[in-house]
Amino acid sequence: MAEAERIIGTPDIPESAGAEPEKSDGKAASDERSASGEPGAPDGSSAEADGTVGEAEQSRGRRRIAVLFAVAAFAYALDLVSKMIVVAKLEHHEPIEIIGEWLKFEAIRNAGAAFGFGEAFTVIFTVIAAAVIVVIIRLARKLYSLPWAVALGLLLGGALGNLTDRIFRSPGVFEGAVVDFIAPKGFAVFNLADSAIVCGGVLIVILSFRGLDPDGTVHKD
């Protein structure tokens, strides 16, 4: 009998000696990951959630950029078409009364800035308009606020509208006179691009006072 036990061998039973059973390699590795704070397989949902949030933010940013350029394209197209009609139908003709003497359509070539200011600085205003366009396009990469997208879109469309006149209209490149035609009584004559710039600027001032940044951050005093 003793010889048989020697040949077969006696199985190890750690429980009988009061010892803990050894953990499997997979269990030990899992415990080590938990102790060290490393994410294991069951915690993969948090990484997936972070990825989903990141994709949602990127999608939201792309939508805001799309709004910016859509507003800019609309403002630019409206300004361009209105100027083409004014040059073709109104220039060298009598003004058209819209609301009696209070509001008229009168074609005027303006070599200055918005509302006829600074006619001696046409080239400077052209450079400023180009710089504004570049700044807005660069800022669009960090844009996550819908109101800011609308405001910047108005500024971009208006700046592009007047810059087109500066480049392509007489007397020459970067010195072209802007076509103005909206003439309220007792006020300077302006165009739709000027209106878009003013509306965008006013909206930006309001957003700034409310503490809203272009990236969607809200600052509360």
Side-chain angles (χ1 to χ4, degrees):
M1 187 64 179
E3 184 66 20
E5 288 179 355
R6 185 183 67 78
I7 295 172
I8 298 173
T10 304
D12 295 333
I13 306 177
E15 290 85 351
S16 62
E20 286 185 22
E22 275 188 289
K23 296 179 180 178
S24 64
D25 293 341
K27 178 64 176 175
S30 176
D31 289 347
E32 288 176 1
R33 285 194 298 268
S34 299
S36 63
E38 295 180 7
D43 298 329
S45 57
S46 62
E48 292 177 0
D50 291 342
T52 303
V53 171
E55 291 177 0
E57 287 296 322
Q58 292 179 358
S59 177
R60 181 182 168 210
R62 286 193 292 267
R63 288 196 299 270
R64 298 299 181 260
I65 294 174
V67 170
L68 186 156
F69 286 110
V71 171
F74 178 76
Y76 177 72
L78 201 60
D79 177 70
L80 184 63
V81 171
S82 66
K83 289 174 178 175
M84 292 174 63
I85 295 173
V86 166
V87 171
K89 303 294 184 181
L90 189 57
E91 200 167 34
H92 308 302
H93 291 78
E94 291 295 320
I96 299 175
E97 294 185 353
I98 304 301
I99 307 176
E101 295 183 355
W102 293 98
L103 179 62
K104 298 179 181 180
F105 283 169
E106 181 179 5
I108 292 178
R109 296 294 182 113
N110 171 25
F115 308 111
F117 298 114
E119 294 186 4
F121 304 99
T122 305
V123 176
I124 295 176
F125 292 134
T126 303
V127 173
I128 292 174
V132 168
I133 292 170
V134 172
V135 170
I136 292 174
I137 292 175
R138 289 177 63 86
L139 186 60
R141 295 180 299 175
K142 299 180 180 179
L143 187 63
Y144 290 93
S145 168
L146 180 59
W148 269 96
V150 174
L152 293 177
L154 290 172
L155 282 179
L156 181 59
L160 284 171
N162 284 339
L163 184 62
T164 300
D165 284 357
R166 303 288 187 198
I167 295 175
F168 295 106
R169 296 194 187 277
S170 60
V173 178
F174 300 126
E175 297 181 352
V178 174
V179 176
D180 291 335
F181 62 94
I182 304 173
K185 185 178 180 179
F187 194 71
V189 183
F190 58 96
N191 56 41
L192 295 181
D194 297 332
S195 301
I197 292 171
V198 171
C199 290
V202 170
L203 183 53
I204 287 175
V205 171
I206 294 173
L207 294 174
S208 298
F209 272 112
R210 295 185 62 183
L212 180 62
D213 289 345
D215 62 358
T217 304
V218 178
H219 300 284
K220 295 182 180 180
D221 297 333

